[in-house]
């Protein structure tokens, strides 16, 4: 509760949270505002924005409603970004926790795996994975998670290595607490705050990666995405720049909102402090 008040007391946190809430409401209200398939042909092609009340943001080259694509694209970006970030965080925390707490040859082996994943840029890994396995939303989420789990794993390991030598952990060992219980009850809760602060960066990166994959034609073709909308407007950029500008602006606002929320979250978690040594 104290950390929540700190988050709401942060100007960055409140601004970022407001942007994310607006995007969430836009995604949830998409079936109400624009019922039906957002990829269907709804009107005359290349209708400019603000010229027809039925299509406030105009239509694309095929006559699809830009507003519908924008709303459903918000849903896609948030779902993919959050799901990929949660998957990466869970995998990274599990690997980092195991490596830091067990130590020895297990630590060395797991860290070499982490090093191998960090050598390859996350976007290139996602690009290769999607190109090899195939295109679907689940594959895109998994590809993004595989490219981003190494950072939370390394940060979790560093936190665990520092915490496991503290007095309260030693006291837990002395009274005979099981190692698994020590790891889950004494170490993990105190190691999580810095790692959770990293989650906003992962979400922002996941949103951009999904948009980039869709821009390259490697996103799910059966759903509306901001990246595919930006790609759709490339060929008519001079005559109908709004087709790329509108989803591009939405993408920038989404990433900005996540970044600001992450700044506020980092301050709130950083001020909270861990358990006394």
């Amino acid at each position: 509760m104290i950390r929540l008040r700190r988050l709401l007391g942060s100007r960055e946190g409140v601004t970022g949270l407001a942007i994310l809430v607006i995007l969430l409401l836009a995604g949830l209200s998409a079936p109400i505002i624009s019922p039906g398939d957002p990829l269907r042909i709804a009107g005359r092609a290349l209708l400019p924005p603000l010229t027809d009340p039925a299509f406030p943001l105009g239509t694309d080259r095929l006559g699809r409603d830009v507003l519908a694509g924008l709303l459903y694209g918000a849903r896609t970006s948030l779902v993919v970004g959050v799901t990929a970030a949660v998957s990466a965080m869970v995998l990274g925390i599990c690997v980092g926790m195991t490596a830091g707490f067990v130590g020895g040859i297990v630590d060395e082996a797991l860290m070499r795996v982490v090093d191998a994943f960090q050598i390859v840029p996350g976007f290139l890994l996602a690009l290769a994975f999607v190109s090899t396995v195939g295109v679907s939303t689940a594959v895109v989420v998994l590809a993004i998670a595989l490219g981003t789990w190494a950072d939370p794993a390394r940060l979790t390991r560093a936190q665990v290595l520092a915490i496991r030598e503290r007095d309260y952990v030693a006291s837990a060992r002395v009274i005979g607490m099981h190692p698994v219980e020590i790891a889950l009850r004494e170490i993990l809760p105190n190691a999580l705050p810095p790692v959770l602060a990293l989650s906003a960066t992962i979400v922002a990166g996941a949103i951009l990666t999904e948009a980039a994959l869709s821009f390259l034609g490697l996103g799910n073709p059966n759903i509306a995405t901001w990246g595919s909308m930006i790609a759709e407007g490339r060929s008519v950029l001079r005559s109908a720049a709004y087709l790329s500008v509108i989803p591009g602006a939405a993408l920038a606002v989404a990433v900005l909102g996540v970044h600001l929320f992450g700044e506020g979250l980092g301050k709130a978690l950083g001020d909270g402090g861990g358990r006394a040594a």
Side-chain angles (χ1 to χ4, degrees):
M1 186 62 67
I2 295 177
R3 286 171 176 170
L4 178 60
R5 286 200 295 267
R6 288 196 177 106
L7 174 62
L8 296 179
S10 167
R11 184 169 56 185
E12 297 91 343
V14 171
T15 303
L17 182 61
I19 293 175
L20 294 179
V21 168
I22 292 173
L23 291 176
L24 179 61
L25 292 177
L28 293 176
S29 63
I32 300 174
I33 299 176
S34 299
D37 185 359
L39 300 180
R40 76 186 190 282
I41 297 176
R44 183 165 58 87
L46 294 178
L47 187 67
L50 304 178
T51 58
D52 187 339
F55 306 104
L57 297 182
T59 58
D60 65 6
R61 294 188 305 157
L62 300 178
R64 295 175 295 193
D65 188 0
V66 174
L67 177 60
L70 198 68
L71 295 175
Y72 282 91
R75 173 183 296 188
T76 301
S77 293
L78 291 177
V79 168
V80 171
V82 173
T83 306
V86 169
S87 303
M89 294 292 291
V90 170
L91 178 59
I93 289 172
C94 290
V95 172
M97 186 73 190
T98 303
F101 188 74
V102 177
I105 190 172
V106 174
D107 183 20
E108 288 294 326
L110 291 177
M111 284 302 101
R112 297 298 76 78
V113 175
V114 171
D115 291 340
F117 274 87
Q118 284 191 314
I119 289 173
V120 183
F123 177 71
L124 292 182
L125 181 61
L127 184 64
F129 187 83
V130 173
S131 300
T132 303
V133 177
V135 176
S136 71
T137 303
V139 171
V140 170
V141 169
L142 181 58
I144 296 173
L146 288 176
T148 54
W149 70 273
D151 287 336
R154 189 171 291 280
L155 180 57
T156 301
R157 173 182 177 269
Q159 292 294 314
V160 172
L161 288 176
I163 294 173
R164 72 177 186 177
E165 302 301 329
R166 294 185 179 176
D167 292 342
Y168 63 86
V169 177
S171 300
R173 293 194 185 99
V174 170
I175 65 175
M177 187 178 290
H178 194 278
V180 175
E181 191 175 4
I182 293 175
L184 296 180
R185 293 185 58 183
E186 303 295 331
I187 296 179
L188 183 60
N190 294 293
L192 277 181
V195 183
L196 293 178
L198 184 64
S199 61
T201 302
I202 297 178
V203 172
I207 292 175
L208 288 174
T209 301
E210 185 278 328
L213 291 174
S214 297
F215 181 83
L216 296 175
L218 294 175
N220 189 338
N222 299 316
I223 60 176
T225 66
W226 289 340
S228 62
M229 292 177 68
I230 296 172
E232 173 68 23
R234 284 183 302 176
S235 58
V236 290
L237 193 59
R238 291 188 177 182
S239 59
Y242 67 91
L243 292 180
S244 293
V245 171
I246 291 175
L251 182 62
V253 170
V255 173
L256 177 62
V258 174
H259 174 73
L260 292 175
F261 181 76
E263 288 287 326
L265 182 64
K267 291 180 180 179
L269 294 175
D271 291 341
R275 184 168 176 173

